[in-house]
Amino acid sequence: MFLATYHAIEEALRASAGEEDVQLIDGGEHADLASTVAFRLAKVRKKAPAAIAQEIASEIAGTLDDRDVQVEVIGPYINFIFGRRYASRAAEAALAEGYGQLAPRRTSVCIEHTSANPNGPLHVGHIRNSIIGDTLARAFRKAGHPLEVQYYLNDMGRQIAIVSWGFDTLAVEPREGEKGDHYIARVYVAANRAIGDDPATAAEIDRRMALIEQGDPDTVRKFRHVVSMCADGIKATLQRLNVHHDRYIWESDFVRNGQMETTLDRIASLPECIRDDVLSLDLTGCGFEKRYVLRRSDGTSVYAARDLAYHIWKGSNFDDIIDVLGADHKLIGAQLIATLGLLGENAPEIVHFEFVSLPEGSMSTRRGTFVSADELIDEVTERALEEVTARRPELDLDERRAIARSVAVGAIRYDIVRVSPDKSTVFDWKEALNFERQSAPYIQYAHARACSILARAGEFEAACDLATENEIALAKHIALFPRMVAKVVEERRPHMLATYARELADLFNQFYRYEPVLKSEGVVRDSRLTLVKAAQNTLHETLETLGIDALRSM
RNA sequence: GGGCUUGUGGCCUAGUCAGGAUAGGGCGUUAGCCUCCUAAGCUAAUGGUCGGGGGUUCAAAUCCCCCCAAGCCCGCCA
C-alpha cells in the first residue's frame, strides 16, 4: 500500500520536475511525504523555490486523486497527505495472515551469529550478537529470502586445549544441577589460574593443539567431550531466548575434510604469500600493516586458516554471507574479506556490534567477570512473575509462569535490539528489569489489549471506513510495516524494527484511549474492529519478527 | 603511536550512511486520569550550546577539516 503510493508520487514528481532524484523526505507533522525538489530546481529555473513548488503541485495534483493523495504546498515544500480511503484500504490489507511477508526472492542468504567459544556460558555481551543475528534472520525470512542460520563452533582453539587440560588434571567437580556451560567456565577459569606463567604447562597446551590438528583420536575424544558439554548448555540458553540456528558447524571439520589444507595451498600460490618459518600473507596492498599469519612455525594452523576454509565453503553454497561479529573482530574481519578477495571468493558482509560492559568494567570469561545470560533470564523472569502475580492474581501459577517467561525474554530481547549496534553499552540491571514504555512488555500489552477487544466483540461485518485522526494515524503506520521489513534487510539494521514496534504500540494506545470500539455502533463499530484486528495482526507480526512472544493475555 | 566506532536535556536513546520545516521517544521529577474495551496504560509540566572549533550549502545533529573525551583493535589467541 505505502510502497505503491510512494512510487506513484515519485513518478508524478519526476515527470513534472524533470529530475531523477525528486528529494522525497518524511513529511513529519505536515504530511505523509514531502519533496524538497523545488530547492534543487531554483538555480536551474531561476525562480523562487516557493513558486516552483506551486507550479509542480498544481501540475500533478489531479494525477494522484485515485490514490487518495492530497497535494499541498507550504513555502518551498510540496506535501503529500494520504486520505481516509488510503488509510482504510491499508487497514484491510493488514488483516491477511503473515502480513508483511514479502514476495519470495532468489538470493540465498547465510547468516552466522553468536559463534561464541565453547569455554563457558553465553554472557550479556554474547547475547547482543545472538539477538541482533536472530532478529536479522527473522527479517530476512520475512523478506522472502531462502536462509540458513549457522553457529560456527570453535572446537579446536587454544581455549579448548586449556579446558581439556583443566578437565584432565584439576579436580573441578560439577555442582548439583549445574549446566555444562557453567561448569566448563569454572574449569576454564581454574585452568587459567593454575597455568599462570608456567612454561611446562604452556608446552602441554601446545602439545594438545598439535595433537588435535593431527586428529589424534584420544585428543579428539577429549576435546569433543568438553565442547559438547558446553555447547549443549549454550544451545539451551539460546532456546530460552527464542534464538534459532539451523546448523552448528564444527571448526575441526575443515581440518578433517582437507578443505583448510586446500585453502592454504591456494594461499601459498598467491603473490602476497610469504613463506619463511611461518605461512603468512602480506596485506599491505590492502591497507593492513601487520602480516596475516595462517600457519605457525610448529606447523599447526591458526583460527584464521580454518575460518577462510569455512567462508569459502559458505560462499560456494550461498549468494550472500552475513556474519554478526563483535567490534573486536573488525580488523580480522577486514583481513578475512581482503584475503577472500585475493582468492576471488565470495566475501562475507560483516555486521559488527560494539561492546557490552559492566559498570565495573569489561566482561571476561577467563577472569570469570561476567553476567551470564542464564542468570539474566532467571532474574528478569522472577521479576516478571512478581509483576504478573500482582496484576493477575486470579491466574494459576503455570499460566503466570508462562506469561512471565514470555515477558522476560521479550524484555531482554527488546532492551538489546532497540539500541543501534554501533553504540557500546553498559549493562544496567535497573534498565533490564524495567517493563514500562520502550520495552517489550509495553508492546506485548498493546497486543494483548487488542486481542481482548476482539475476543469480546464476537462476529462483526468486514467494513472499514476510517474517519478520526487516531484511526487514520494508526492505519497509516500499519501500512509502513512491509516497507520496514524491506529496510531492515537492506540496511542490516534490526534496531529500526524495535522503533517501529514502539511507535505502532504508541498509536494503538492512543486510539484505544480515545475511540471506543465495543461501545460504538454500526459501521463505526465494524470499522474500528477491523482496525483493531489489523493492528493486532501487525503487532503480532512485528513481535514475531523481533522474536518476542505476542501474548494474547497478560 | 596508528586504525575503527561513539559523543544528542540529570540518566538511556531515535534521527547521521542517501542534508530540508519547531531535534523525536523513554527513565527521573512534578501535577492529573480507573462506577467506561486490561492503569505493563493515558494527559500535562519540567528539562537541549546535538562534545568543542572552523568550513561547504539557500539549508548542517546529518557532509568536509582540526581538536577533545570514551570504547575497541593493532598476538605464531580466538
Side-chain angles (χ1 to χ4, degrees):
Chain A
M1 193 80 204
F2 175 81
L3 275 172
T5 306
Y6 182 97
H7 289 130
I9 291 170
E10 200 174 31
E11 280 315 307
L13 278 169
R14 276 181 186 152
S16 174
E19 290 269 314
E20 177 60 19
D21 182 0
V22 292
Q23 308 278 315
L24 272 176
I25 56 165
D26 179 46
E29 63 193 283
H30 304 282
D32 295 295
L33 279 173
S35 170
T36 57
V37 75
F39 285 113
R40 208 51 57 94
L41 290 172
K43 271 186 193 151
V44 192
R45 297 196 183 175
K46 301 199 190 314
K47 276 186 194 170
I52 296 168
Q54 203 55 254
E55 280 173 19
I56 293 174
S58 52
E59 208 174 307
I60 64 176
T63 65
L64 295 164
D65 283 353
D66 59 327
R67 296 196 170 270
D68 196 24
V69 175
Q70 196 189 328
V71 185
E72 270 180 12
V73 170
I74 301 178
Y77 295 93
I78 308 167
N79 290 330
F80 301 91
I81 300 146
F82 305 168
R84 290 169 55 176
R85 266 189 301 128
Y86 167 90
S88 303
R89 280 195 223 144
E92 283 169 334
L95 298 172
E97 200 183 326
Y99 175 60
Q101 179 70 45
L102 307 183
R105 301 186 195 196
R106 282 219 198 89
T107 318
S108 66
V109 179
C110 177
I111 296 181
E112 178 204 333
H113 70 78
T114 310
S115 303
N117 289 332
N119 59 349
L122 298 179
H123 59 55
V124 296
H126 295 127
I127 64 171
R128 188 171 193 190
N129 190 324
S130 310
I131 290 163
I132 290 169
D134 189 66
T135 308
L136 214 44
R138 288 165 184 267
F140 268 89
R141 288 222 165 83
K142 195 88 184 141
H145 287 279
L147 174 74
E148 183 165 301
V149 185
Q150 299 184 348
Y151 188 120
Y152 186 54
L153 199 56
N154 304 154
D155 63 335
M156 55 181 294
R158 175 161 247 111
Q159 287 92 328
I160 307 309
I162 291 170
V163 171
S164 99
W165 174 83
F167 194 82
D168 289 346
T169 54
L170 307 171
V172 181
E173 292 301 317
R175 291 173 182 153
E176 180 73 25
E178 185 175 35
K179 281 178 74 211
D181 48 349
H182 291 260
Y183 170 56
I184 291 295
R186 289 199 299 114
V187 173
Y188 182 63
V189 171
N192 272 294
R193 206 176 300 135
I195 291 164
D197 301 324
D198 179 32
T201 323
E204 168 58 18
I205 302 296
D206 287 343
R207 195 181 67 87
R208 285 183 187 238
M209 287 176 72
L211 285 171
I212 191 71
E213 180 121 2
Q214 289 156 23
D216 169 65
D218 190 46
T219 309
V220 168
R221 191 181 48 75
K222 283 178 173 170
F223 275 46
R224 289 237 154 197
H225 180 64
V226 292
V227 168
S228 301
M229 192 186 290
C230 191
D232 287 347
I234 288 173
K235 286 178 190 175
T237 304
L238 290 173
Q239 194 169 10
R240 294 179 81 186
L241 288 168
N242 290 345
V243 172
H244 174 76
H245 287 90
D246 298 306
R247 265 169 106 170
Y248 279 71
I249 307 293
W250 291 59
E251 182 183 7
S252 59
D253 289 348
F254 295 95
V255 176
R256 307 277 171 268
N257 67 18
Q259 288 180 27
M260 185 197 72
E261 213 46 53
T262 310
T263 303
L264 289 181
D265 287 346
R266 287 176 64 190
I267 284 172
S269 62
L270 286 174
E272 292 83 358
C273 183
I274 303 168
R275 305 191 73 157
D276 32 36
D277 54 331
V278 301
L279 178 73
S280 64
L281 278 174
D282 176 6
L283 295 176
T284 46
C286 307
F288 300 103
E289 277 180 43
K290 303 277 169 91
R291 284 187 188 180
Y292 189 43
V293 175
L294 297 168
R295 202 201 291 277
R296 302 181 181 96
S297 52
D298 69 0
T300 59
S301 62
V302 299
Y303 171 83
R306 280 103 65 179
D307 208 22
L308 277 166
Y310 172 43
H311 278 88
I312 289 171
W313 173 76
K314 282 200 276 192
S316 62
N317 287 290
F318 299 94
D319 299 320
D320 286 355
I321 311 168
I322 296 175
D323 296 349
V324 182
L325 293 171
D328 54 337
H329 287 64
K330 276 186 183 176
L331 178 60
I332 55 154
Q335 288 171 328
L336 176 81
I337 289 170
T339 305
L340 289 166
L342 293 176
L343 291 169
E345 294 287 343
N346 190 3
E349 183 182 334
I350 304 181
V351 175
H352 288 288
F353 63 93
E354 291 287 334
F355 260 52
V356 181
S357 57
L358 299 176
E360 55 271 28
S362 65
M363 275 180 282
S364 158
T365 304
R366 183 173 50 77
R367 294 196 306 264
T369 53
F370 57 86
V371 173
S372 78
D374 287 315
E375 186 183 340
L376 173 67
I377 301 166
D378 290 344
E379 286 288 330
V380 179
T381 305
E382 195 176 313
R383 173 76 190 73
L385 183 60
E386 285 171 22
E387 200 68 36
V388 179
T389 301
R391 291 165 199 277
R392 304 291 299 277
E394 78 282 6
L395 298 180
D396 65 46
L397 186 59
D398 284 348
E399 234 171 316
R400 279 182 278 136
R401 280 206 173 121
I403 293 171
R405 254 198 309 276
S406 291
V407 165
V409 169
I412 291 167
R413 287 190 64 130
Y414 193 87
D415 199 43
I416 289 172
V417 81
R418 60 179 249 269
V419 181
S420 162
D422 38 35
K423 220 145 190 165
S424 54
T425 62
V426 178
F427 176 76
D428 179 358
W429 275 110
K430 188 173 152 272
E431 198 79 5
L433 295 171
N434 174 23
F435 302 145
E436 287 172 342
R437 294 297 286 251
Q438 297 206 343
S439 72
Y442 171 76
I443 301 157
Q444 289 171 309
Y445 186 65
H447 177 264
R449 276 175 149 180
C451 287
S452 170
I453 294 175
L454 293 168
R456 286 164 185 268
E459 294 292 306
F460 60 94
E461 294 290 318
C464 198
D465 183 16
L466 304 178
T468 71
E469 249 180 71
N470 290 315
E471 291 168 355
I472 289 167
L474 174 58
K476 282 179 178 177
H477 205 66
I478 286 171
L480 294 176
F481 181 54
R483 154 96 157 175
M484 247 356 269
V485 172
K487 272 185 108 163
V488 165
V489 162
E490 273 162 32
E491 299 181 25
R492 285 94 161 100
R493 290 199 299 175
H495 80 284
M496 299 191 328
L497 198 55
T499 305
Y500 175 80
R502 196 213 73 227
E503 289 166 347
L504 187 60
D506 283 345
L507 289 165
F508 179 77
N509 281 332
Q510 254 145 57
F511 161 79
Y512 177 94
R513 163 73 176 74
Y514 292 105
E515 322 289 358
V517 178
L518 297 177
K519 289 194 170 170
S520 56
E521 290 174 352
V523 73
V524 173
R525 185 177 189 273
D526 291 336
S527 295
R528 286 184 183 166
L529 278 167
T530 303
L531 181 59
V532 170
K533 177 77 190 124
Q536 179 269 321
N537 195 34
T538 308
L539 283 165
H540 175 96
E541 294 298 328
T542 306
L543 286 167
E544 186 68 26
T545 311
L546 286 166
I548 297 169
D549 297 337
L551 293 167
R552 304 196 68 80
S553 161
M554 61 188 283

